[in-house]
Amino acid sequence: MRLKDVPQPFICTSIVDEGVKSTIRTMKTAEYRGADVFEVHLPLLGFPDQTELNRLQSATSRPIYATCRRDSFYRLLGTDNVVSLTDRERTDRLVSAVESGLAGIDVELDTFDCTPGPSSFTEQAIDEYASDPDTGLAEVTDDADAVAAQEALVDRVHDAGGDVVLSAHTYKHLTPETAVAIAERMTDRGADLCKLVGVDRTLEEGLDTLQAHLDLNESDCAPYALMAIGDPSRIIRPMSPMFGSAWVFAQPELVPGGFHSWPLVDNAREILRRVDWETVHQPHAE
């Protein structure tokens, strides 16, 4: 099944286990609890060959898409297997994964023109970056050459039968206007799905993010997921599909060093099932 054809809203589990065997174990646990889609990290899988990718895909009937972040992300996770690749090398490996049968890729909106965020990923560093009026949006570029290369990458993935998630971890609070502008960039560059990550430091900013959901839902952008770093996101993330997000990231269990602001798969599923939200707002109705 194509990513864009998965009924929305859906639950996605991003798996950060190392190795195919451990990834399959976590994937099956998440699937049993209600996950609909899986994201895997090629470096954490050891850049699997066709045989290993076949083994991974045969373990589930759910779509699996790949990402290959820059090395700073994997240092954040504490893995010992950090591999430094150029953006061209990263994207070539992602395209190869789709050619080997995976459903698509997630790649940053600053690919081919890196626009880094905070110098480290501690809570203090992120807060300082988000609060500094002189810092710009991370992982967002409008460089003409980079945009052209991104559009060519999207075409390669589509030609291989996959879908593209364009993503931006901005490390800034996203106003509704800014969120819509980023999603429109992603859509114009050919994204099938848009992933936007901001920062919410207060409940007031969390409310602003909910308004951004409503504005995105009324815009002409591709199906999107909007989320934020920060404590208020613990409330906003699981309810975001009620306001228009096409999917929510969730984890099957809490593990040391994991993303504890993400809801558990069980909870994300039950919130959407037990709250009578579709009688009030139907952002995913056709």
PDB file of all heavy atoms in Angstrom, residues 3 11-17 23 27 37-42 45 56 63-69 73 102 104-107 165 167 169 195 247 249 259 262:
ATOM      1  N   LEU A   3       1.935   5.035   0.929  1.00  0.00           N
ATOM      2  CA  LEU A   3       1.760   5.822   2.151  1.00  0.00           C
ATOM      3  C   LEU A   3       0.552   6.735   2.047  1.00  0.00           C
ATOM      4  O   LEU A   3      -0.236   6.875   2.979  1.00  0.00           O
ATOM      5  CB  LEU A   3       3.017   6.659   2.419  1.00  0.00           C
ATOM      6  CG  LEU A   3       4.225   5.968   3.030  1.00  0.00           C
ATOM      7  CD1 LEU A   3       5.364   6.970   3.158  1.00  0.00           C
ATOM      8  CD2 LEU A   3       3.891   5.357   4.371  1.00  0.00           C
ATOM      9  N   ILE A  11      -1.628   5.899  12.716  1.00  0.00           N
ATOM     10  CA  ILE A  11      -0.610   5.905  13.764  1.00  0.00           C
ATOM     11  C   ILE A  11       0.686   5.369  13.180  1.00  0.00           C
ATOM     12  O   ILE A  11       0.708   4.293  12.581  1.00  0.00           O
ATOM     13  CB  ILE A  11      -1.049   5.052  14.967  1.00  0.00           C
ATOM     14  CG1 ILE A  11      -2.304   5.636  15.611  1.00  0.00           C
ATOM     15  CG2 ILE A  11       0.078   4.943  15.998  1.00  0.00           C
ATOM     16  CD1 ILE A  11      -2.916   4.738  16.668  1.00  0.00           C
ATOM     17  N   CYS A  12       1.765   6.135  13.334  1.00  0.00           N
ATOM     18  CA  CYS A  12       3.071   5.746  12.813  1.00  0.00           C
ATOM     19  C   CYS A  12       4.054   5.548  13.958  1.00  0.00           C
ATOM     20  O   CYS A  12       4.131   6.387  14.864  1.00  0.00           O
ATOM     21  CB  CYS A  12       3.605   6.818  11.860  1.00  0.00           C
ATOM     22  SG  CYS A  12       5.250   6.461  11.194  1.00  0.00           S
ATOM     23  N   THR A  13       4.788   4.462  13.915  1.00  0.00           N
ATOM     24  CA  THR A  13       5.860   4.223  14.873  1.00  0.00           C
ATOM     25  C   THR A  13       7.198   4.352  14.164  1.00  0.00           C
ATOM     26  O   THR A  13       7.457   3.662  13.180  1.00  0.00           O
ATOM     27  CB  THR A  13       5.745   2.829  15.506  1.00  0.00           C
ATOM     28  OG1 THR A  13       4.573   2.771  16.315  1.00  0.00           O
ATOM     29  CG2 THR A  13       6.963   2.532  16.387  1.00  0.00           C
ATOM     30  N   SER A  14       8.022   5.273  14.649  1.00  0.00           N
ATOM     31  CA  SER A  14       9.383   5.429  14.137  1.00  0.00           C
ATOM     32  C   SER A  14      10.298   4.575  15.001  1.00  0.00           C
ATOM     33  O   SER A  14      10.388   4.778  16.216  1.00  0.00           O
ATOM     34  CB  SER A  14       9.810   6.896  14.184  1.00  0.00           C
ATOM     35  OG  SER A  14      11.122   7.056  13.685  1.00  0.00           O
ATOM     36  N   ILE A  15      10.972   3.621  14.381  1.00  0.00           N
ATOM     37  CA  ILE A  15      11.734   2.623  15.129  1.00  0.00           C
ATOM     38  C   ILE A  15      13.206   2.990  15.127  1.00  0.00           C
ATOM     39  O   ILE A  15      13.808   3.189  14.064  1.00  0.00           O
ATOM     40  CB  ILE A  15      11.527   1.226  14.521  1.00  0.00           C
ATOM     41  CG1 ILE A  15      10.028   0.887  14.504  1.00  0.00           C
ATOM     42  CG2 ILE A  15      12.311   0.176  15.307  1.00  0.00           C
ATOM     43  CD1 ILE A  15       9.697  -0.421  13.832  1.00  0.00           C
ATOM     44  N   VAL A  16      13.776   3.104  16.323  1.00  0.00           N
ATOM     45  CA  VAL A  16      15.182   3.502  16.450  1.00  0.00           C
ATOM     46  C   VAL A  16      16.025   2.375  17.041  1.00  0.00           C
ATOM     47  O   VAL A  16      17.097   2.609  17.583  1.00  0.00           O
ATOM     48  CB  VAL A  16      15.325   4.794  17.279  1.00  0.00           C
ATOM     49  CG1 VAL A  16      14.720   5.970  16.542  1.00  0.00           C
ATOM     50  CG2 VAL A  16      14.698   4.644  18.662  1.00  0.00           C
ATOM     51  N   ASP A  17      15.550   1.144  16.916  1.00  0.00           N
ATOM     52  CA  ASP A  17      16.357  -0.009  17.302  1.00  0.00           C
ATOM     53  C   ASP A  17      17.502  -0.184  16.311  1.00  0.00           C
ATOM     54  O   ASP A  17      17.413   0.227  15.157  1.00  0.00           O
ATOM     55  CB  ASP A  17      15.509  -1.284  17.305  1.00  0.00           C
ATOM     56  CG  ASP A  17      14.418  -1.258  18.349  1.00  0.00           C
ATOM     57  OD1 ASP A  17      13.679  -0.265  18.400  1.00  0.00           O
ATOM     58  OD2 ASP A  17      14.288  -2.244  19.089  1.00  0.00           O
ATOM     59  N   THR A  23      14.533  -4.483  15.157  1.00  0.00           N
ATOM     60  CA  THR A  23      13.526  -3.632  14.527  1.00  0.00           C
ATOM     61  C   THR A  23      12.241  -4.406  14.283  1.00  0.00           C
ATOM     62  O   THR A  23      11.135  -3.900  14.523  1.00  0.00           O
ATOM     63  CB  THR A  23      14.069  -3.061  13.206  1.00  0.00           C
ATOM     64  OG1 THR A  23      15.154  -2.180  13.491  1.00  0.00           O
ATOM     65  CG2 THR A  23      12.994  -2.309  12.436  1.00  0.00           C
ATOM     66  N   MET A  27       8.620  -3.565  15.760  1.00  0.00           N
ATOM     67  CA  MET A  27       7.574  -3.341  14.760  1.00  0.00           C
ATOM     68  C   MET A  27       6.355  -4.219  15.031  1.00  0.00           C
ATOM     69  O   MET A  27       5.207  -3.746  14.987  1.00  0.00           O
ATOM     70  CB  MET A  27       8.135  -3.617  13.370  1.00  0.00           C
ATOM     71  CG  MET A  27       7.196  -3.313  12.231  1.00  0.00           C
ATOM     72  SD  MET A  27       8.058  -3.367  10.624  1.00  0.00           S
ATOM     73  CE  MET A  27       8.580  -5.092  10.583  1.00  0.00           C
ATOM     74  N   VAL A  37       1.668   2.288  10.314  1.00  0.00           N
ATOM     75  CA  VAL A  37       2.787   2.594   9.421  1.00  0.00           C
ATOM     76  C   VAL A  37       4.063   2.585  10.244  1.00  0.00           C
ATOM     77  O   VAL A  37       4.042   2.912  11.445  1.00  0.00           O
ATOM     78  CB  VAL A  37       2.597   3.978   8.748  1.00  0.00           C
ATOM     79  CG1 VAL A  37       3.829   4.387   7.952  1.00  0.00           C
ATOM     80  CG2 VAL A  37       1.363   3.970   7.847  1.00  0.00           C
ATOM     81  N   PHE A  38       5.195   2.247   9.597  1.00  0.00           N
ATOM     82  CA  PHE A  38       6.477   2.229  10.301  1.00  0.00           C
ATOM     83  C   PHE A  38       7.516   3.044   9.548  1.00  0.00           C
ATOM     84  O   PHE A  38       7.603   2.984   8.324  1.00  0.00           O
ATOM     85  CB  PHE A  38       6.975   0.799  10.478  1.00  0.00           C
ATOM     86  CG  PHE A  38       6.007  -0.063  11.241  1.00  0.00           C
ATOM     87  CD1 PHE A  38       5.222  -0.986  10.585  1.00  0.00           C
ATOM     88  CD2 PHE A  38       5.865   0.089  12.611  1.00  0.00           C
ATOM     89  CE1 PHE A  38       4.308  -1.764  11.286  1.00  0.00           C
ATOM     90  CE2 PHE A  38       4.952  -0.667  13.319  1.00  0.00           C
ATOM     91  CZ  PHE A  38       4.170  -1.599  12.657  1.00  0.00           C
ATOM     92  N   GLU A  39       8.295   3.797  10.317  1.00  0.00           N
ATOM     93  CA  GLU A  39       9.463   4.493   9.787  1.00  0.00           C
ATOM     94  C   GLU A  39      10.704   3.786  10.319  1.00  0.00           C
ATOM     95  O   GLU A  39      10.803   3.518  11.516  1.00  0.00           O
ATOM     96  CB  GLU A  39       9.472   5.953  10.235  1.00  0.00           C
ATOM     97  CG  GLU A  39      10.705   6.725   9.783  1.00  0.00           C
ATOM     98  CD  GLU A  39      10.780   8.124  10.383  1.00  0.00           C
ATOM     99  OE1 GLU A  39      10.861   8.230  11.631  1.00  0.00           O
ATOM    100  OE2 GLU A  39      10.761   9.095   9.612  1.00  0.00           O
ATOM    101  N   VAL A  40      11.656   3.498   9.421  1.00  0.00           N
ATOM    102  CA  VAL A  40      12.917   2.882   9.830  1.00  0.00           C
ATOM    103  C   VAL A  40      14.075   3.767   9.399  1.00  0.00           C
ATOM    104  O   VAL A  40      13.978   4.523   8.422  1.00  0.00           O
ATOM    105  CB  VAL A  40      13.083   1.462   9.235  1.00  0.00           C
ATOM    106  CG1 VAL A  40      12.010   0.529   9.769  1.00  0.00           C
ATOM    107  CG2 VAL A  40      13.066   1.492   7.707  1.00  0.00           C
ATOM    108  N   HIS A  41      15.178   3.672  10.141  1.00  0.00           N
ATOM    109  CA  HIS A  41      16.373   4.466   9.884  1.00  0.00           C
ATOM    110  C   HIS A  41      17.429   3.573   9.250  1.00  0.00           C
ATOM    111  O   HIS A  41      17.914   2.625   9.883  1.00  0.00           O
ATOM    112  CB  HIS A  41      16.905   5.064  11.193  1.00  0.00           C
ATOM    113  CG  HIS A  41      15.997   6.097  11.793  1.00  0.00           C
ATOM    114  ND1 HIS A  41      16.226   7.442  11.662  1.00  0.00           N
ATOM    115  CD2 HIS A  41      14.847   5.968  12.515  1.00  0.00           C
ATOM    116  CE1 HIS A  41      15.275   8.114  12.283  1.00  0.00           C
ATOM    117  NE2 HIS A  41      14.426   7.242  12.800  1.00  0.00           N
ATOM    118  N   LEU A  42      17.784   3.865   8.016  1.00  0.00           N
ATOM    119  CA  LEU A  42      18.747   3.011   7.319  1.00  0.00           C
ATOM    120  C   LEU A  42      20.062   2.853   8.064  1.00  0.00           C
ATOM    121  O   LEU A  42      20.600   1.736   8.136  1.00  0.00           O
ATOM    122  CB  LEU A  42      18.993   3.544   5.901  1.00  0.00           C
ATOM    123  CG  LEU A  42      17.791   3.532   4.945  1.00  0.00           C
ATOM    124  CD1 LEU A  42      18.226   4.015   3.561  1.00  0.00           C
ATOM    125  CD2 LEU A  42      17.166   2.140   4.853  1.00  0.00           C
ATOM    126  N   LEU A  45      19.782   0.328  10.771  1.00  0.00           N
ATOM    127  CA  LEU A  45      19.637  -1.029  10.243  1.00  0.00           C
ATOM    128  C   LEU A  45      20.935  -1.550   9.643  1.00  0.00           C
ATOM    129  O   LEU A  45      20.997  -2.695   9.182  1.00  0.00           O
ATOM    130  CB  LEU A  45      18.544  -1.060   9.177  1.00  0.00           C
ATOM    131  CG  LEU A  45      17.110  -0.802   9.646  1.00  0.00           C
ATOM    132  CD1 LEU A  45      16.174  -0.731   8.444  1.00  0.00           C
ATOM    133  CD2 LEU A  45      16.649  -1.860  10.629  1.00  0.00           C
ATOM    134  N   LEU A  56      12.602  -7.737   6.394  1.00  0.00           N
ATOM    135  CA  LEU A  56      11.894  -6.685   7.124  1.00  0.00           C
ATOM    136  C   LEU A  56      10.467  -6.536   6.602  1.00  0.00           C
ATOM    137  O   LEU A  56       9.504  -6.499   7.381  1.00  0.00           O
ATOM    138  CB  LEU A  56      12.656  -5.368   6.980  1.00  0.00           C
ATOM    139  CG  LEU A  56      12.151  -4.167   7.782  1.00  0.00           C
ATOM    140  CD1 LEU A  56      12.395  -4.375   9.269  1.00  0.00           C
ATOM    141  CD2 LEU A  56      12.861  -2.887   7.314  1.00  0.00           C
ATOM    142  N   PRO A  63       2.724  -0.566   5.635  1.00  0.00           N
ATOM    143  CA  PRO A  63       3.766   0.145   4.882  1.00  0.00           C
ATOM    144  C   PRO A  63       4.958   0.513   5.765  1.00  0.00           C
ATOM    145  O   PRO A  63       4.791   0.883   6.929  1.00  0.00           O
ATOM    146  CB  PRO A  63       3.048   1.404   4.378  1.00  0.00           C
ATOM    147  CG  PRO A  63       1.590   1.091   4.460  1.00  0.00           C
ATOM    148  CD  PRO A  63       1.444   0.174   5.630  1.00  0.00           C
ATOM    149  N   ILE A  64       6.138   0.406   5.184  1.00  0.00           N
ATOM    150  CA  ILE A  64       7.381   0.811   5.845  1.00  0.00           C
ATOM    151  C   ILE A  64       8.064   1.842   4.951  1.00  0.00           C
ATOM    152  O   ILE A  64       8.238   1.615   3.759  1.00  0.00           O
ATOM    153  CB  ILE A  64       8.339  -0.382   6.035  1.00  0.00           C
ATOM    154  CG1 ILE A  64       7.658  -1.512   6.811  1.00  0.00           C
ATOM    155  CG2 ILE A  64       9.616   0.066   6.746  1.00  0.00           C
ATOM    156  CD1 ILE A  64       8.485  -2.798   6.832  1.00  0.00           C
ATOM    157  N   TYR A  65       8.422   2.967   5.540  1.00  0.00           N
ATOM    158  CA  TYR A  65       9.205   3.938   4.772  1.00  0.00           C
ATOM    159  C   TYR A  65      10.512   4.210   5.500  1.00  0.00           C
ATOM    160  O   TYR A  65      10.658   3.910   6.692  1.00  0.00           O
ATOM    161  CB  TYR A  65       8.419   5.230   4.520  1.00  0.00           C
ATOM    162  CG  TYR A  65       8.155   6.104   5.723  1.00  0.00           C
ATOM    163  CD1 TYR A  65       9.007   7.151   6.046  1.00  0.00           C
ATOM    164  CD2 TYR A  65       7.022   5.909   6.519  1.00  0.00           C
ATOM    165  CE1 TYR A  65       8.753   7.974   7.136  1.00  0.00           C
ATOM    166  CE2 TYR A  65       6.757   6.721   7.606  1.00  0.00           C
ATOM    167  CZ  TYR A  65       7.629   7.757   7.913  1.00  0.00           C
ATOM    168  OH  TYR A  65       7.365   8.571   8.997  1.00  0.00           O
ATOM    169  N   ALA A  66      11.474   4.751   4.761  1.00  0.00           N
ATOM    170  CA  ALA A  66      12.832   4.891   5.286  1.00  0.00           C
ATOM    171  C   ALA A  66      13.225   6.350   5.442  1.00  0.00           C
ATOM    172  O   ALA A  66      12.769   7.225   4.701  1.00  0.00           O
ATOM    173  CB  ALA A  66      13.828   4.199   4.359  1.00  0.00           C
ATOM    174  N   THR A  67      14.099   6.585   6.393  1.00  0.00           N
ATOM    175  CA  THR A  67      14.763   7.868   6.507  1.00  0.00           C
ATOM    176  C   THR A  67      16.245   7.620   6.760  1.00  0.00           C
ATOM    177  O   THR A  67      16.644   6.520   7.156  1.00  0.00           O
ATOM    178  CB  THR A  67      14.143   8.745   7.617  1.00  0.00           C
ATOM    179  OG1 THR A  67      14.649  10.076   7.532  1.00  0.00           O
ATOM    180  CG2 THR A  67      14.463   8.180   9.001  1.00  0.00           C
ATOM    181  N   CYS A  68      17.037   8.638   6.511  1.00  0.00           N
ATOM    182  CA  CYS A  68      18.479   8.558   6.733  1.00  0.00           C
ATOM    183  C   CYS A  68      18.931   9.951   7.152  1.00  0.00           C
ATOM    184  O   CYS A  68      19.292  10.779   6.314  1.00  0.00           O
ATOM    185  CB  CYS A  68      19.192   8.095   5.465  1.00  0.00           C
ATOM    186  SG  CYS A  68      20.981   7.869   5.651  1.00  0.00           S
ATOM    187  N   ARG A  69      18.864  10.221   8.445  1.00  0.00           N
ATOM    188  CA  ARG A  69      19.150  11.557   8.947  1.00  0.00           C
ATOM    189  C   ARG A  69      20.648  11.862   8.877  1.00  0.00           C
ATOM    190  O   ARG A  69      21.485  10.980   8.680  1.00  0.00           O
ATOM    191  CB  ARG A  69      18.666  11.684  10.398  1.00  0.00           C
ATOM    192  CG  ARG A  69      17.174  11.470  10.582  1.00  0.00           C
ATOM    193  CD  ARG A  69      16.370  12.541   9.924  1.00  0.00           C
ATOM    194  NE  ARG A  69      14.936  12.345  10.141  1.00  0.00           N
ATOM    195  CZ  ARG A  69      13.992  12.963   9.470  1.00  0.00           C
ATOM    196  NH1 ARG A  69      14.324  13.826   8.504  1.00  0.00           N
ATOM    197  NH2 ARG A  69      12.729  12.730   9.712  1.00  0.00           N
ATOM    198  N   PHE A  73      21.868  13.573  14.255  1.00  0.00           N
ATOM    199  CA  PHE A  73      20.688  12.923  14.828  1.00  0.00           C
ATOM    200  C   PHE A  73      21.065  11.608  15.498  1.00  0.00           C
ATOM    201  O   PHE A  73      20.595  11.293  16.601  1.00  0.00           O
ATOM    202  CB  PHE A  73      19.636  12.680  13.753  1.00  0.00           C
ATOM    203  CG  PHE A  73      18.429  11.925  14.235  1.00  0.00           C
ATOM    204  CD1 PHE A  73      17.400  12.581  14.883  1.00  0.00           C
ATOM    205  CD2 PHE A  73      18.322  10.545  14.066  1.00  0.00           C
ATOM    206  CE1 PHE A  73      16.284  11.891  15.348  1.00  0.00           C
ATOM    207  CE2 PHE A  73      17.214   9.845  14.519  1.00  0.00           C
ATOM    208  CZ  PHE A  73      16.199  10.523  15.159  1.00  0.00           C
ATOM    209  N   LEU A 102      10.524  -0.609  -0.308  1.00  0.00           N
ATOM    210  CA  LEU A 102       9.933   0.190   0.762  1.00  0.00           C
ATOM    211  C   LEU A 102       8.962   1.208   0.184  1.00  0.00           C
ATOM    212  O   LEU A 102       9.037   1.586  -0.988  1.00  0.00           O
ATOM    213  CB  LEU A 102      11.021   0.886   1.586  1.00  0.00           C
ATOM    214  CG  LEU A 102      11.964  -0.032   2.374  1.00  0.00           C
ATOM    215  CD1 LEU A 102      12.789   0.783   3.376  1.00  0.00           C
ATOM    216  CD2 LEU A 102      11.213  -1.144   3.101  1.00  0.00           C
ATOM    217  N   GLY A 104       8.368   4.412   0.799  1.00  0.00           N
ATOM    218  CA  GLY A 104       8.703   5.816   0.572  1.00  0.00           C
ATOM    219  C   GLY A 104       9.851   6.256   1.446  1.00  0.00           C
ATOM    220  O   GLY A 104      10.545   5.437   2.057  1.00  0.00           O
ATOM    221  N   ILE A 105      10.035   7.578   1.486  1.00  0.00           N
ATOM    222  CA  ILE A 105      11.137   8.152   2.246  1.00  0.00           C
ATOM    223  C   ILE A 105      10.662   9.386   3.000  1.00  0.00           C
ATOM    224  O   ILE A 105       9.660  10.002   2.649  1.00  0.00           O
ATOM    225  CB  ILE A 105      12.335   8.540   1.337  1.00  0.00           C
ATOM    226  CG1 ILE A 105      11.990   9.771   0.474  1.00  0.00           C
ATOM    227  CG2 ILE A 105      12.750   7.368   0.468  1.00  0.00           C
ATOM    228  CD1 ILE A 105      13.186  10.367  -0.259  1.00  0.00           C
ATOM    229  N   ASP A 106      11.410   9.733   4.042  1.00  0.00           N
ATOM    230  CA  ASP A 106      11.288  11.016   4.728  1.00  0.00           C
ATOM    231  C   ASP A 106      12.622  11.725   4.574  1.00  0.00           C
ATOM    232  O   ASP A 106      13.672  11.164   4.918  1.00  0.00           O
ATOM    233  CB  ASP A 106      10.956  10.810   6.212  1.00  0.00           C
ATOM    234  CG  ASP A 106      10.840  12.124   6.998  1.00  0.00           C
ATOM    235  OD1 ASP A 106      11.709  13.008   6.832  1.00  0.00           O
ATOM    236  OD2 ASP A 106       9.901  12.256   7.787  1.00  0.00           O
ATOM    237  N   VAL A 107      12.592  12.944   4.048  1.00  0.00           N
ATOM    238  CA  VAL A 107      13.824  13.710   3.837  1.00  0.00           C
ATOM    239  C   VAL A 107      13.567  15.168   4.201  1.00  0.00           C
ATOM    240  O   VAL A 107      12.458  15.688   4.048  1.00  0.00           O
ATOM    241  CB  VAL A 107      14.321  13.558   2.383  1.00  0.00           C
ATOM    242  CG1 VAL A 107      13.373  14.228   1.402  1.00  0.00           C
ATOM    243  CG2 VAL A 107      15.736  14.045   2.229  1.00  0.00           C
ATOM    244  N   VAL A 165       7.776  11.993   2.145  1.00  0.00           N
ATOM    245  CA  VAL A 165       7.475  12.881   3.259  1.00  0.00           C
ATOM    246  C   VAL A 165       8.574  13.938   3.288  1.00  0.00           C
ATOM    247  O   VAL A 165       9.746  13.604   3.496  1.00  0.00           O
ATOM    248  CB  VAL A 165       7.450  12.134   4.612  1.00  0.00           C
ATOM    249  CG1 VAL A 165       7.078  13.090   5.742  1.00  0.00           C
ATOM    250  CG2 VAL A 165       6.499  10.937   4.559  1.00  0.00           C
ATOM    251  N   SER A 167      10.089  16.907   5.432  1.00  0.00           N
ATOM    252  CA  SER A 167       9.982  17.232   6.855  1.00  0.00           C
ATOM    253  C   SER A 167      10.872  18.409   7.221  1.00  0.00           C
ATOM    254  O   SER A 167      11.866  18.697   6.540  1.00  0.00           O
ATOM    255  CB  SER A 167      10.351  16.012   7.711  1.00  0.00           C
ATOM    256  OG  SER A 167      11.703  15.629   7.498  1.00  0.00           O
ATOM    257  N   HIS A 169      12.320  19.966  10.986  1.00  0.00           N
ATOM    258  CA  HIS A 169      12.432  20.139  12.436  1.00  0.00           C
ATOM    259  C   HIS A 169      12.992  21.551  12.636  1.00  0.00           C
ATOM    260  O   HIS A 169      14.197  21.758  12.572  1.00  0.00           O
ATOM    261  CB  HIS A 169      13.357  19.086  13.033  1.00  0.00           C
ATOM    262  CG  HIS A 169      12.904  17.685  12.791  1.00  0.00           C
ATOM    263  ND1 HIS A 169      13.021  17.074  11.553  1.00  0.00           N
ATOM    264  CD2 HIS A 169      12.336  16.765  13.618  1.00  0.00           C
ATOM    265  CE1 HIS A 169      12.531  15.839  11.629  1.00  0.00           C
ATOM    266  NE2 HIS A 169      12.118  15.623  12.863  1.00  0.00           N
ATOM    267  N   LYS A 195       5.622  16.918   7.010  1.00  0.00           N
ATOM    268  CA  LYS A 195       5.857  16.767   8.446  1.00  0.00           C
ATOM    269  C   LYS A 195       6.516  18.040   8.963  1.00  0.00           C
ATOM    270  O   LYS A 195       7.602  18.416   8.510  1.00  0.00           O
ATOM    271  CB  LYS A 195       6.747  15.560   8.727  1.00  0.00           C
ATOM    272  CG  LYS A 195       7.173  15.421  10.183  1.00  0.00           C
ATOM    273  CD  LYS A 195       8.188  14.299  10.335  1.00  0.00           C
ATOM    274  CE  LYS A 195       8.861  14.312  11.698  1.00  0.00           C
ATOM    275  NZ  LYS A 195       9.949  13.324  11.776  1.00  0.00           N
ATOM    276  N   TRP A 247      -1.477  12.031  10.571  1.00  0.00           N
ATOM    277  CA  TRP A 247      -0.975  10.934  11.389  1.00  0.00           C
ATOM    278  C   TRP A 247      -0.379  11.465  12.686  1.00  0.00           C
ATOM    279  O   TRP A 247      -0.144  12.660  12.844  1.00  0.00           O
ATOM    280  CB  TRP A 247       0.047  10.097  10.629  1.00  0.00           C
ATOM    281  CG  TRP A 247       1.427  10.665  10.440  1.00  0.00           C
ATOM    282  CD1 TRP A 247       2.530  10.426  11.198  1.00  0.00           C
ATOM    283  CD2 TRP A 247       1.864  11.570   9.402  1.00  0.00           C
ATOM    284  NE1 TRP A 247       3.624  11.096  10.699  1.00  0.00           N
ATOM    285  CE2 TRP A 247       3.240  11.804   9.595  1.00  0.00           C
ATOM    286  CE3 TRP A 247       1.221  12.189   8.324  1.00  0.00           C
ATOM    287  CZ2 TRP A 247       3.985  12.642   8.762  1.00  0.00           C
ATOM    288  CZ3 TRP A 247       1.955  13.027   7.499  1.00  0.00           C
ATOM    289  CH2 TRP A 247       3.324  13.238   7.713  1.00  0.00           C
ATOM    290  N   PHE A 249       2.746  10.275  15.561  1.00  0.00           N
ATOM    291  CA  PHE A 249       3.810   9.349  15.935  1.00  0.00           C
ATOM    292  C   PHE A 249       3.532   8.811  17.332  1.00  0.00           C
ATOM    293  O   PHE A 249       3.193   9.567  18.251  1.00  0.00           O
ATOM    294  CB  PHE A 249       5.166  10.052  15.918  1.00  0.00           C
ATOM    295  CG  PHE A 249       5.741  10.233  14.545  1.00  0.00           C
ATOM    296  CD1 PHE A 249       5.686  11.463  13.913  1.00  0.00           C
ATOM    297  CD2 PHE A 249       6.330   9.172  13.877  1.00  0.00           C
ATOM    298  CE1 PHE A 249       6.210  11.642  12.642  1.00  0.00           C
ATOM    299  CE2 PHE A 249       6.850   9.332  12.604  1.00  0.00           C
ATOM    300  CZ  PHE A 249       6.793  10.572  11.983  1.00  0.00           C
ATOM    301  N   PHE A 259      11.735   8.822  23.051  1.00  0.00           N
ATOM    302  CA  PHE A 259      11.011  10.083  22.872  1.00  0.00           C
ATOM    303  C   PHE A 259       9.773  10.062  23.760  1.00  0.00           C
ATOM    304  O   PHE A 259       8.678   9.671  23.334  1.00  0.00           O
ATOM    305  CB  PHE A 259      10.648  10.256  21.395  1.00  0.00           C
ATOM    306  CG  PHE A 259      11.849  10.272  20.485  1.00  0.00           C
ATOM    307  CD1 PHE A 259      12.168   9.159  19.713  1.00  0.00           C
ATOM    308  CD2 PHE A 259      12.661  11.393  20.414  1.00  0.00           C
ATOM    309  CE1 PHE A 259      13.272   9.171  18.866  1.00  0.00           C
ATOM    310  CE2 PHE A 259      13.776  11.416  19.580  1.00  0.00           C
ATOM    311  CZ  PHE A 259      14.079  10.301  18.806  1.00  0.00           C
ATOM    312  N   TRP A 262       6.188  11.424  23.019  1.00  0.00           N
ATOM    313  CA  TRP A 262       5.302  10.719  22.113  1.00  0.00           C
ATOM    314  C   TRP A 262       4.306   9.884  22.912  1.00  0.00           C
ATOM    315  O   TRP A 262       4.666   9.250  23.911  1.00  0.00           O
ATOM    316  CB  TRP A 262       6.088   9.765  21.215  1.00  0.00           C
ATOM    317  CG  TRP A 262       6.990  10.412  20.223  1.00  0.00           C
ATOM    318  CD1 TRP A 262       7.370  11.712  20.164  1.00  0.00           C
ATOM    319  CD2 TRP A 262       7.638   9.756  19.133  1.00  0.00           C
ATOM    320  NE1 TRP A 262       8.215  11.908  19.115  1.00  0.00           N
ATOM    321  CE2 TRP A 262       8.398  10.729  18.460  1.00  0.00           C
ATOM    322  CE3 TRP A 262       7.646   8.445  18.669  1.00  0.00           C
ATOM    323  CZ2 TRP A 262       9.163  10.423  17.331  1.00  0.00           C
ATOM    324  CZ3 TRP A 262       8.409   8.141  17.554  1.00  0.00           C
ATOM    325  CH2 TRP A 262       9.150   9.124  16.892  1.00  0.00           C
TER     326      TRP A 262
END
